[in-house]
Amino acid sequence: MDLGVIRLSHCQKEIFCFSVPGACPSCGEELRGRRLQEAPVSLPSPLSNGHKTSCCLLVAPAHDNHSREFEGTSDLHTGISNTSGVVYNYTLAGVGRQSAGWQRCVSVPLVRPDMFHLLAQWDQYLERFSDGPLWDPAWHRFDEEQHNCFTFCLQFINSVLAAEGRSSLSRETFTQSFILPRMRRVTKYTTLYQHIQKHGYYMVDRQLDRQEDKQEDRPDKPDLF
């Protein structure tokens, strides 16, 4: 998904495409070179470069997904970024620290920019936690169901919550509140992108689309800390 998606309005339709088409796919009126009533709007991608994030939980396609794209049946991998964008992630070999490979992922910000005391300690917390015996293959084996990459991320988050004097979060609560809303956005964007790739555009009734946007554009859950 290297191309940006734009949305333009014409003849009471919302048209999604990669660039302004030569003619309106609905009424056939020439568009290219003409002044539109409303300027095309770029749709922000729900994916970001994890190495340019700070203090985030990251969700990316698993490494055995050769296309490295989010697909409905693909396995996912999670990690935590430090303040420099290095991603700590738990695998069969233990905790890896990666400076590349997370360029296309879903980012869940965890720390507010004004939490200076926590930002100053984040890297230390993350390094100390990662060095614990729970993540050492000599002491504990990786298990895809019970002791996996998401276990590592959630236990780290809960350890920071405990240090801040706050209650821990269950897997279900964290997933429902912070991850699933973003993953639904990825699914919708990917479906739209693939449709445009195949047909050149995607078109919906303007009024219906605006109603759907109001539901989809609800803000994400704020930062955890």
Side-chain angles (χ1 to χ4, degrees):
M1 294 192 293
D2 297 324
L3 299 174
V5 177
I6 62 172
R7 179 179 66 188
L8 58 95
S9 301
H10 194 264
C11 64
Q12 299 303 310
K13 300 291 184 181
E14 298 284 355
I15 304 164
F16 298 82
C17 45
F18 297 137
S19 60
V20 177
C24 174
S26 176
C27 69
E29 181 180 341
E30 185 178 347
L31 297 179
R32 193 167 294 160
R34 292 197 171 192
R35 186 172 182 175
L36 299 173
Q37 290 183 340
E38 296 181 19
V41 177
S42 294
L43 269 63
S45 171
L47 304 179
S48 60
N49 185 340
H51 300 295
K52 294 184 178 180
T53 69
S54 175
C55 309
C56 291
L57 180 138
L58 305 173
V59 183
H63 296 299
D64 57 2
N65 179 348
H66 299 296
S67 68
R68 299 296 286 163
E69 295 290 348
F70 285 89
E71 301 167 348
T73 58
S74 62
D75 289 334
L76 300 175
H77 190 45
T78 58
I80 301 283
S81 62
N82 69 4
T83 58
S84 301
V86 176
V87 182
Y88 287 60
N89 60 107
Y90 178 56
T91 67
L92 284 165
V95 178
R97 297 155 175 82
Q98 297 177 320
S99 299
W102 295 76
Q103 283 82 358
R104 298 176 60 79
C105 59
V106 175
S107 174
V108 182
L110 298 173
V111 183
R112 298 196 314 270
D114 61 349
M115 294 291 287
F116 302 113
H117 74 284
L118 184 52
L119 290 170
Q121 300 178 81
W122 186 263
D123 290 355
Q124 182 180 352
Y125 281 156
L126 186 53
E127 188 65 39
R128 185 187 306 155
F129 181 82
S130 300
D131 285 339
L134 270 178
W135 320 112
D136 185 341
W139 292 86
H140 286 270
R141 293 182 61 184
F142 181 95
D143 182 89
E144 289 188 358
E145 299 296 330
Q146 301 297 327
H147 195 67
N148 52 36
C149 59
F150 190 62
T151 308
F152 168 79
C153 293
L154 186 59
Q155 288 199 23
F156 171 71
I157 290 169
N158 280 331
S159 73
V160 178
L161 285 171
E164 293 289 302
R166 297 171 56 183
S167 301
S168 62
L169 292 170
S170 69
R171 177 184 291 257
E172 292 73 22
T173 297
F174 186 83
T175 301
Q176 290 286 340
S177 299
F178 292 94
I179 296 181
L180 286 184
R182 290 172 171 85
M183 294 306 298
R184 282 193 287 266
R185 190 170 300 135
V186 170
T187 299
K188 183 177 180 181
Y189 187 90
T190 301
T191 301
L192 172 65
Y193 194 97
Q194 292 172 344
H195 185 96
I196 297 173
Q197 277 187 316
K198 184 176 182 180
H199 301 283
Y201 65 89
Y202 177 72
M203 184 169 58
V204 292
D205 181 82
R206 184 175 184 181
Q207 184 177 4
L208 175 62
D209 183 64
R210 290 287 174 85
Q211 291 172 350
E212 291 177 350
D213 279 350
K214 290 178 182 178
Q215 296 177 353
E216 288 293 330
D217 291 341
R218 292 172 183 168
D220 289 323
K221 197 82 170 177
D223 300 348
L224 186 57
F225 300 104

